[in-house]
Each structure stands twice: as structure tokens, then as C-alpha cells.
Amino acid sequence: MSVDVTLFPLDTVKTRLQSEVGFSRAGGFRGIYSGLPSVVAGSFPTAGLFFCAYEGVKIFGRGYLSESWDPVLHMTAASTGEVTACLVRVPVEVIKQRAQATRFRSSDILRETLRTEGFRGLYRGYISTVLREIPFSFIQFPLWEYFKKTWSSFQKSPVDPWQSSICGATSGCIAAGITTPLDVAKTRIMLAETGSAFSTGSISFAIRAVYRENGMQGLFAGVVPRMLWITVGGAIFLGVYDKAKVVLSSAHMDTS
């Protein structure tokens, strides 16, 4: 959660750069923490769901697959984790991004969304979010595992958590840059007015529409804050995650 809170201003800048009305009209640098309450509420359950599914699939898969299948196993585990985490992430994203691009509070947006769109409105953009997260995870997590394995082989010992964080930052930065067009499409879908063409949730339509409006520049709107945010976040998040695994493993061995 500390990662989400610390880096939240970067996420707000990214959302406003990607919005249809443009950065200034979406709020500029004003109210840079708009939408934070929804992120605080959803941070722990989102991360918990992801890593429970991710590690569960890895543990299950290693019982049946050889080491040569590790990249496929990591992709499958990451995809499963993302689909599961999106059950919480998408409602959080809907409320957060609408708060970031308007002057309304998260609680007001939640009530208005439920009033005008019903519970289903909280899951607008679920498919587009999954279609963003799966390619992102296909790139980030296999790269993260590969970088750690290569570094470990080079130094002939397991990587330390700080080394894992560098691997996480690098893999996250690469994945963030490549998948920015999918993130732009997801943002447009979530921010669209009810009944508009974007609100149908078609990611292919959103990408084509943004490209017609602003070309490649539009598809990569917000790429710098997105890459910076995920680079720093990946370093902290994955480094701390590996450190926690080391601590828990040591504690388990001590009690055995």
C-alpha cells in the first residue's frame, strides 16, 4: 500500500494525460491525490489475490513441468494472478480514474456509478483491464524471473532482495512502455460517458479511435509517468516480496 500511496501523483498525471479532455481540463496538477481512498481500500486485497494465485500456479506447475517450461509456467501463473486480482482492481480503477479526471470525491463517484450504471458499472473495462494486464504480466514476470536466474548464475548464489528489486524495476519498465497503448484504451473506456462509443468496452475500437485522433502520440500518452511509476513500484514491490519470502522461509526452517 505504501508504494501505491507514494507513487499516486504519477498515476494521476498519467490518467489526466490519457483522458479525452486533455491534461489541463482533467485537472492538471490540481488535486493530485484525487481518488486515493479507493486505492487504499483496494491495495491489500488486490496484491493478496494476485500473489496467492501466482504462487499457487507456480507450485502446482512445478510438480508436472520441467525447468525448461519455466517461462510458460511464469506467464500462466502471472495471467492467472492478474485475472483473479482484477476482480478487486477493476472497481478500484473505475472509481480512482473518474476521481482523478473530475472534481468529485471517490464516495460520490461510487454512489453515482451505482445509481446510473448499477453494480455492473463498477466492472466497466474489466475485459480491457485484463487484456492490458495479461500482456504486461507476460512480459514483466518472465523477464523478472529470467533476470534473477541469470544474475544468480553469474554470481553463483541466489540473488539478494535488493538485486531482485533491480530486476523488478527493469522488467516493469520494459513491460510498462510496451503496453501503454492498452493502458490508454482502458483509461478511455473507464472514463467514457454512459452510452458513448467508448463505454461499450471495445478495446480495439478505443485503440483505433485514439489513433485517428492523435496518432502514435495519443496511443503513448502518459508513457513517461507510467514507466517511472511502474519502475519504482516494481523495484519496491517485488524486492519487498522476495525479502518477505526469504524471512518467512527462514522462520519456517527455524521452527521445523
Side-chain angles (χ1 to χ4, degrees), residues 36-71:
L36 182 61
S38 62
V39 172
V40 171
S43 183
F44 281 124
T46 299
L49 282 173
F50 175 84
F51 280 112
C52 282
Y54 180 69
E55 289 296 335
V57 171
K58 280 173 60 180
I59 291 169
F60 176 80
R62 280 179 179 148
Y64 298 91
L65 300 172
S66 65
E67 191 174 308
S68 62
W69 285 88
D70 275 359

Coordinates of all heavy atoms in Angstrom, one line a residue, residues 36-71:
L36 N -7.5 8.7 -4.1 CA -6.6 7.9 -3.3 C -7.4 6.9 -2.3 O -6.9 5.8 -2.2 CB -5.7 8.8 -2.5 CG -4.7 8.1 -1.6 CD1 -3.8 7.2 -2.4 CD2 -3.9 9.1 -0.7
P37 N -8.5 7.3 -1.7 CA -9.2 6.4 -0.8 C -9.6 5.1 -1.4 O -9.4 4.0 -0.8 CB -10.5 7.2 -0.4 CG -10.1 8.6 -0.6 CD -9.2 8.7 -1.8
S38 N -10.0 5.1 -2.7 CA -10.3 3.8 -3.3 C -9.1 2.9 -3.5 O -9.1 1.7 -3.3 CB -11.0 4.0 -4.7 OG -10.1 4.6 -5.6
V39 N -7.9 3.5 -3.7 CA -6.7 2.8 -3.9 C -6.2 2.2 -2.5 O -5.8 1.0 -2.5 CB -5.6 3.6 -4.5 CG1 -4.2 2.9 -4.4 CG2 -5.9 4.0 -5.9
V40 N -6.4 3.0 -1.5 CA -6.0 2.5 -0.1 C -6.9 1.3 0.2 O -6.4 0.3 0.8 CB -6.2 3.6 0.9 CG1 -6.0 3.1 2.3 CG2 -5.1 4.7 0.6
A41 N -8.2 1.4 -0.1 CA -9.1 0.3 0.3 C -8.8 -1.0 -0.5 O -9.0 -2.1 0.0 CB -10.5 0.7 0.0
G42 N -8.4 -0.8 -1.8 CA -8.2 -2.0 -2.6 C -6.8 -2.5 -2.7 O -6.6 -3.6 -3.3
S43 N -5.8 -1.9 -2.1 CA -4.4 -2.2 -2.3 C -4.1 -3.6 -1.8 O -3.5 -4.5 -2.5 CB -3.5 -1.2 -1.7 OG -2.1 -1.5 -1.9
F44 N -4.4 -3.9 -0.5 CA -4.1 -5.2 0.1 C -4.8 -6.3 -0.5 O -4.1 -7.3 -0.9 CB -4.4 -5.1 1.6 CG -3.3 -4.4 2.4 CD1 -3.7 -3.3 3.2 CD2 -2.0 -4.8 2.4 CE1 -2.7 -2.7 4.0 CE2 -1.0 -4.1 3.1 CZ -1.4 -3.1 3.9
P45 N -6.1 -6.3 -0.7 CA -6.8 -7.4 -1.3 C -6.3 -7.7 -2.8 O -6.2 -8.9 -3.2 CB -8.3 -7.1 -1.3 CG -8.3 -5.6 -1.0 CD -7.1 -5.3 -0.2
T46 N -6.0 -6.6 -3.5 CA -5.6 -6.8 -4.9 C -4.2 -7.6 -4.9 O -4.1 -8.6 -5.7 CB -5.4 -5.5 -5.6 OG1 -6.7 -4.8 -5.7 CG2 -4.9 -5.7 -7.1
A47 N -3.3 -7.1 -4.1 CA -1.9 -7.7 -4.1 C -2.0 -9.1 -3.5 O -1.4 -10.1 -4.0 CB -1.0 -6.9 -3.2
G48 N -2.9 -9.3 -2.5 CA -3.0 -10.6 -1.9 C -3.6 -11.7 -2.9 O -3.1 -12.8 -3.0
L49 N -4.6 -11.3 -3.6 CA -5.2 -12.2 -4.6 C -4.2 -12.5 -5.7 O -4.1 -13.7 -6.1 CB -6.5 -11.5 -5.2 CG -7.8 -11.5 -4.4 CD1 -8.8 -10.7 -5.1 CD2 -8.3 -12.9 -4.2
F50 N -3.5 -11.5 -6.2 CA -2.5 -11.8 -7.2 C -1.5 -12.8 -6.8 O -1.2 -13.8 -7.5 CB -1.8 -10.5 -7.7 CG -0.7 -10.8 -8.7 CD1 -1.1 -10.9 -10.1 CD2 0.6 -10.9 -8.3 CE1 -0.1 -11.2 -11.0 CE2 1.6 -11.2 -9.3 CZ 1.2 -11.4 -10.6
F51 N -0.8 -12.5 -5.7 CA 0.3 -13.4 -5.3 C -0.1 -14.8 -4.8 O 0.6 -15.8 -5.0 CB 1.2 -12.7 -4.3 CG 2.2 -11.8 -5.0 CD1 2.1 -10.4 -4.8 CD2 3.2 -12.2 -5.8 CE1 2.9 -9.5 -5.4 CE2 4.0 -11.3 -6.4 CZ 3.9 -10.0 -6.2
C52 N -1.3 -14.9 -4.3 CA -1.8 -16.2 -3.9 C -2.0 -17.1 -5.1 O -1.6 -18.2 -5.2 CB -3.2 -16.1 -3.1 SG -3.0 -15.6 -1.4
A53 N -2.6 -16.4 -6.2 CA -2.8 -17.2 -7.4 C -1.5 -17.4 -8.1 O -1.3 -18.5 -8.7 CB -3.8 -16.4 -8.3
Y54 N -0.6 -16.4 -8.2 CA 0.7 -16.6 -8.9 C 1.5 -17.7 -8.3 O 2.0 -18.6 -9.0 CB 1.4 -15.2 -8.8 CG 2.8 -15.2 -9.4 CD1 2.9 -15.2 -10.8 CD2 3.9 -15.1 -8.7 CE1 4.1 -15.2 -11.5 CE2 5.2 -15.0 -9.3 CZ 5.3 -15.1 -10.7 OH 6.5 -15.1 -11.3
E55 N 1.7 -17.7 -7.0 CA 2.5 -18.7 -6.3 C 1.8 -20.0 -6.4 O 2.5 -21.1 -6.5 CB 2.8 -18.3 -4.9 CG 3.8 -17.1 -4.8 CD 5.2 -17.5 -5.3 OE1 5.5 -18.6 -5.3 OE2 5.9 -16.5 -5.7
G56 N 0.5 -20.0 -6.3 CA -0.3 -21.3 -6.3 C -0.1 -22.0 -7.6 O 0.2 -23.3 -7.6
V57 N -0.2 -21.3 -8.7 CA 0.0 -21.9 -10.0 C 1.5 -22.4 -10.2 O 1.7 -23.4 -10.8 CB -0.4 -20.9 -11.2 CG1 0.0 -21.5 -12.5 CG2 -1.9 -20.7 -11.1
K58 N 2.4 -21.6 -9.8 CA 3.8 -22.0 -9.9 C 4.1 -23.3 -9.1 O 4.8 -24.2 -9.6 CB 4.8 -20.8 -9.4 CG 5.0 -19.7 -10.3 CD 5.7 -18.6 -9.7 CE 7.1 -18.9 -9.2 NZ 7.8 -17.8 -8.6
I59 N 3.6 -23.3 -7.9 CA 3.8 -24.5 -7.1 C 3.2 -25.8 -7.7 O 3.8 -26.8 -7.8 CB 3.3 -24.3 -5.6 CG1 4.1 -23.3 -4.9 CG2 3.3 -25.6 -4.8 CD1 3.5 -22.8 -3.6
F60 N 2.0 -25.6 -8.2 CA 1.3 -26.7 -8.8 C 2.0 -27.1 -10.1 O 2.2 -28.3 -10.3 CB -0.2 -26.2 -9.2 CG -1.0 -27.3 -9.9 CD1 -1.5 -28.4 -9.3 CD2 -1.1 -27.2 -11.3 CE1 -2.3 -29.3 -9.9 CE2 -1.8 -28.2 -12.0 CZ -2.4 -29.2 -11.3
G61 N 2.4 -26.1 -10.9 CA 3.0 -26.4 -12.2 C 4.4 -27.1 -12.1 O 4.7 -28.0 -12.9
R62 N 5.1 -26.8 -11.1 CA 6.4 -27.4 -10.9 C 6.4 -28.9 -10.5 O 7.4 -29.6 -10.7 CB 7.2 -26.6 -9.8 CG 7.8 -25.3 -10.4 CD 8.6 -24.5 -9.4 NE 9.1 -23.3 -10.0 CZ 9.3 -22.2 -9.4 NH1 8.9 -22.1 -8.1 NH2 9.8 -21.1 -10.0
G63 N 5.2 -29.3 -10.1 CA 5.0 -30.7 -9.9 C 4.9 -31.5 -11.1 O 5.0 -32.8 -11.1
Y64 N 4.6 -30.8 -12.3 CA 4.4 -31.6 -13.5 C 5.3 -31.2 -14.7 O 5.4 -31.9 -15.6 CB 2.9 -31.3 -14.0 CG 1.9 -31.8 -13.0 CD1 1.4 -31.0 -12.0 CD2 1.4 -33.1 -13.1 CE1 0.4 -31.5 -11.1 CE2 0.5 -33.6 -12.2 CZ 0.0 -32.8 -11.2 OH -0.9 -33.3 -10.3
L65 N 5.9 -30.0 -14.6 CA 6.7 -29.5 -15.7 C 8.2 -29.4 -15.3 O 8.6 -29.1 -14.2 CB 6.2 -28.1 -16.1 CG 4.8 -28.0 -16.5 CD1 4.4 -26.5 -16.7 CD2 4.5 -28.7 -17.8
S66 N 9.0 -29.6 -16.3 CA 10.5 -29.5 -16.1 C 10.9 -28.0 -16.1 O 10.1 -27.1 -16.5 CB 11.2 -30.2 -17.3 OG 11.0 -29.6 -18.5
E67 N 12.1 -27.8 -15.8 CA 12.6 -26.4 -15.7 C 12.6 -25.7 -17.0 O 12.5 -24.4 -17.1 CB 14.1 -26.4 -15.1 CG 14.6 -25.0 -14.7 CD 15.9 -25.1 -14.0 OE1 16.1 -25.9 -13.1 OE2 16.8 -24.4 -14.5
S68 N 12.7 -26.4 -18.1 CA 12.7 -25.8 -19.4 C 11.3 -25.1 -19.7 O 11.3 -24.2 -20.6 CB 13.0 -26.8 -20.5 OG 12.0 -27.8 -20.5
W69 N 10.3 -25.5 -19.0 CA 9.0 -24.9 -19.2 C 8.7 -23.7 -18.3 O 7.6 -23.1 -18.2 CB 7.9 -25.9 -18.9 CG 7.8 -26.9 -20.0 CD1 8.4 -28.1 -20.2 CD2 6.9 -26.8 -21.2 NE1 8.1 -28.7 -21.3 CE2 7.1 -28.0 -21.9 CE3 6.0 -25.9 -21.6 CZ2 6.4 -28.2 -23.1 CZ3 5.3 -26.1 -22.8 CH2 5.5 -27.3 -23.5
D70 N 9.8 -23.2 -17.5 CA 9.6 -22.1 -16.6 C 9.0 -20.9 -17.2 O 8.1 -20.3 -16.6 CB 10.9 -21.8 -15.9 CG 11.2 -22.7 -14.7 OD1 10.3 -23.5 -14.4 OD2 12.2 -22.5 -14.1
P71 N 9.5 -20.4 -18.4 CA 8.9 -19.2 -18.9 C 7.4 -19.3 -19.2 O 6.6 -18.4 -18.9 CB 9.6 -19.0 -20.3 CG 10.9 -19.7 -20.1 CD 10.6 -20.9 -19.2

